Amino acid sequence: MKRVLAIIIAILLFVVFAMAFAKIPFGEQMSKYPHYYNPIENQTSNMSLPQHYLTYGKKDTGATNMVTAVVVDYRGFDTLGEVTVLFLASTGVGSLMYVENKAKKKVKRSNAVVETGSKLLFGFIILFGAYIFIHGHLTPGGGFPGGAIIASSFLLLYLAYPKFHAEHKRLNVSESLAGLTFVIVGLLGLAIAGYFLYNFLPFGLPTYLFSAGVIPVIYVAIGVKVGSELTGIVDAMMGVRE
Amino acid sequence: MKKVSNANRFLYAFLIFIIIWCGFTFSPGIKEEQFLQEFTAGIVLSLIAAAFSYQHLSERGLYNLSPHRVWWFLKYIPVFIWAMIKANFDVAYRVLSPKRPIKPGIVRIRTDLKNPVGKLALANSITLTPGTMTMQIIDDKYYIHWIYVHSEDEKEAGDIIKGDFEKYLREVFE
């Protein structure tokens, strides 16, 4: 009975969502979307919001990756919120899992192939993560994937070496410094131009590495922050410490 | 094996990373100025990545780049690829043949390679040439799963499985 009820509810929900999705104009011309209200000029714009992003995004932000332009520049608060959520998650895991003297688990040594291989790969994965987050404004990727890649390199060492652990103090320091950088860049924007997270640095030429103003700076900060936070979560969950 | 200084190992890691970085960022149509910017960032990031991982990356530092080693490594690549092609056809034959000529088993062989990276390279070479798969390495003993056990003798099986690999890898890593 329960199962039948669950299936009926699931089907009903699916029908409702399908009907709602059918109303979304996929693949139509962007000019047909509703035009947005521009609070600065106090009038309705002559184009829709997605059209504005694609038309003026490069001029407004200097970034060639429009997703980055939206996430870090147009809607910077959103990213600040995401980073905060991740910070809270890592703090929460840390406080829940914290034990004064963790009993060392009896863990068997892993295979010699795994040990040597992970040692070799460690640096390369860090370099690749850095490559991803420093090119956030030019290529797909950005701070979050880059940081996750860096954390995965530490996870590799955690899995290959049962006794390995990253120093918690250093993780905390890098995490806090990166978070501070993000907020300070935002406050500098507030001081210079009157808007929090205002893009106050020169834009440079598009597709050049040193371009897009504050976006690369913020993405480096996010990359370091996400990397150290996820490493901290892994460290807390592994529970092996001497 | 003699100990090398940390600076030496750091420099080696940095060199490797900056080469990889150039591979990441260079493309034929890139403007000179643009590449210069990428290279500047690459130097900084390679320094950071090297600071994290130079102790893990190498034990011998720059001695890994001696011409003798690099030359033997370059010679090793075609040997390895040829062995891989041959072995793949061998496995295809074993799969397709109606007689099913398989006689699986696990054999133990020995190696005289000492360097852990050398051992890793040998293990991977054995695994990547189909028909054989490294299961475990304990000290100098390899435990290998073989699709057709030609010989159970440690030395004879080792000669068949390792082929020429060990000779080349000894020059590269020892």
Side-chain angles (χ1 to χ4, degrees):
Chain A
M1 190 61 213
K2 242 183 185 172
R3 216 173 267 179
V4 176
L5 206 67
I7 290 172
I8 290 171
I9 290 175
I11 289 172
L12 273 178
L13 277 177
F14 178 77
V15 170
V16 169
F17 280 121
M19 280 162 71
F21 278 130
K23 295 225 162 102
I24 299 176
F26 279 115
E28 279 185 40
Q29 284 214 323
M30 278 192 295
S31 50
K32 285 187 185 163
Y33 286 70
H35 295 180
Y36 72 100
Y37 173 71
N38 188 337
I40 297 169
E41 291 165 16
N42 197 15
Q43 61 183 23
T44 308
S45 167
N46 60 351
M47 55 174 67
S48 61
L49 197 56
Q51 206 178 359
H52 176 97
Y53 288 151
L54 290 180
T55 317
Y56 293 120
K58 206 145 112 184
K59 206 183 98 227
D60 282 353
T61 65
T64 46
N65 182 350
M66 267 322 109
V67 177
T68 308
V70 173
V71 164
V72 185
D73 201 302
Y74 287 116
R75 280 143 195 241
F77 268 114
D78 202 38
T79 307
L80 192 60
E82 276 171 25
V83 171
T84 316
V85 166
L86 206 62
F87 173 71
L88 287 178
S90 111
T91 319
V93 170
S95 59
L96 284 176
M97 305 292 238
Y98 184 76
V99 184
E100 195 71 44
N101 284 315
K102 284 187 176 172
K104 236 167 60 181
K105 276 191 225 156
K106 280 267 177 194
V107 194
K108 265 199 276 180
R109 276 187 70 201
S110 48
N111 199 317
V113 178
V114 178
E115 283 185 5
T116 324
S118 58
K119 253 186 178 178
L120 277 181
L121 278 176
F122 177 60
F124 292 102
I125 300 177
I126 287 189
L127 187 72
F128 183 64
Y131 169 79
I132 292 282
F133 70 61
I134 208 160
H135 286 88
H137 55 300
L138 303 174
T139 57
F144 289 94
I149 290 170
I150 288 181
S152 78
S153 75
F154 282 96
L155 176 63
L156 192 66
L157 284 193
Y158 272 108
L159 293 179
Y161 294 89
K163 281 183 182 169
F164 174 84
H165 72 95
E167 273 179 61
H168 230 74
K169 268 183 196 157
R170 285 191 199 171
L171 282 180
N172 287 345
V173 166
S174 69
E175 185 181 334
S176 320
L177 278 183
L180 265 181
T181 314
F182 193 171
V183 176
I184 285 173
V185 167
L187 288 176
L188 277 177
L190 187 66
I192 291 169
Y195 295 105
F196 188 67
L197 285 172
Y198 185 79
N199 200 341
F200 58 90
L201 289 173
F203 285 173
L205 293 165
T207 74
Y208 278 58
L209 183 61
F210 298 146
S211 68
V214 297
I215 292 178
V217 181
I218 289 177
Y219 255 171
V220 168
I222 293 176
V224 173
K225 193 166 163 58
V226 171
S228 43
E229 266 162 6
L230 293 182
T231 311
I233 290 178
V234 168
D235 185 64
M237 287 194 161
M238 281 302 198
V240 185
R241 206 167 299 164
E242 280 172 80
Chain B
M1 194 161 47
K2 61 178 184 291
K3 270 274 170 199
V4 292
S5 67
N6 277 343
N8 188 325
R9 288 156 77 187
F10 184 86
L11 203 63
Y12 171 72
F14 174 70
L15 265 179
I16 295 287
F17 289 153
I18 199 76
I19 291 169
I20 297 280
W21 180 268
C22 290
F24 278 161
T25 54
F26 183 78
S27 59
I30 198 168
K31 293 188 200 78
E32 199 179 309
E33 204 184 328
Q34 207 169 357
F35 185 68
L36 217 63
Q37 291 187 354
E38 299 275 4
F39 194 71
T40 319
I43 289 174
V44 176
L45 293 179
S46 301
L47 281 176
I48 295 169
F52 271 105
S53 66
Y54 73 97
Q55 281 169 327
H56 300 296
L57 189 71
S58 66
E59 281 172 0
R60 267 195 308 250
L62 289 171
Y63 296 110
N64 279 328
L65 294 177
S66 73
H68 179 82
R69 290 207 169 100
V70 174
W71 170 238
W72 275 90
F73 185 70
L74 290 179
K75 277 210 286 191
Y76 169 69
I77 292 171
V79 172
F80 171 62
I81 290 175
W82 176 240
M84 208 153 84
I85 293 169
K86 257 191 341 194
N88 271 301
F89 275 109
D90 180 61
V91 169
Y93 154 72
R94 283 179 205 287
V95 172
L96 295 173
S97 166
K99 271 185 279 177
R100 252 198 338 179
I102 56 170
K103 189 170 116 191
I106 298 168
V107 293
R108 187 180 70 188
I109 62 171
R110 279 172 195 278
T111 178
D112 54 4
L113 294 175
K114 296 278 187 301
N115 187 317
V117 183
K119 279 187 197 169
L120 174 71
L122 183 58
N124 278 350
S125 306
I126 289 171
T127 303
L128 282 171
T129 49
T132 49
M133 200 174 77
T134 314
M135 298 177 68
Q136 176 68 294
I137 305 177
I138 297 169
D139 298 329
D140 65 337
K141 297 185 281 290
Y142 283 57
Y143 292 85
I144 303 223
H145 185 272
W146 211 351
I147 197 168
Y148 191 93
V149 179
H150 294 282
S151 158
E152 284 171 33
D153 179 57
E154 206 172 80
K155 194 162 175 341
E156 206 182 324
D159 287 341
I160 300 172
I161 290 171
K162 287 185 290 194
D164 285 340
F165 296 149
E166 200 178 28
K167 192 181 85 192
Y168 285 85
L169 291 174
R170 200 181 294 130
E171 298 295 330
V172 177
F173 289 106
E174 298 302 316

